[in-house]
Amino acid sequence: MTNLPFHAISVVIDGQVRLRVHRGRSLEIEMPLRSRQALVLGASLINHALMAQHPDPLVSEPGDK
């Protein structure tokens, strides 16, 4: 049996945000999120996406002066 990595997605079903964790194509866990948890997850994902596009200008790369 191959040990595939997990990945998580959020989905909206009947107005409720649910977190789904998959291993390959297999659904391993599905859990409902409270409103506050969904907002924190959304904010975290937006922050992560913005950081990937626009690295922090105060953090220099090795070799930068």
Side-chain angles (χ1 to χ4, degrees), residues 46-59 61:
I46 290 170
N47 187 39
H48 184 72
L50 291 174
M51 290 297 292
Q53 290 179 357
H54 305 288
D56 189 346
L58 299 178
V59 177
E61 293 293 322

Side-chain angles (χ1 to χ4, degrees), residues 2 5 8 10 14 34 36 44 54 57 63:
T2 304
S10 59
D14 294 328
R34 293 186 210 110
R36 185 168 186 87
S44 177
H54 305 288

Side-chain angles (χ1 to χ4, degrees), residues 3-43:
N3 189 11
L4 298 173
F6 289 97
H7 67 277
I9 60 169
S10 59
V11 295
V12 178
I13 301 173
D14 294 328
Q16 182 184 40
V17 177
R18 301 182 69 81
L19 183 65
R20 290 182 172 176
V21 179
H22 294 266
R23 183 186 338 211
R25 291 182 171 235
S26 174
L27 177 63
E28 296 290 322
I29 300 170
E30 181 175 333
M31 59 186 279
L33 298 178
R34 293 186 210 110
S35 296
R36 185 168 186 87
Q37 290 172 316
L39 289 171
V40 169
L41 176 62

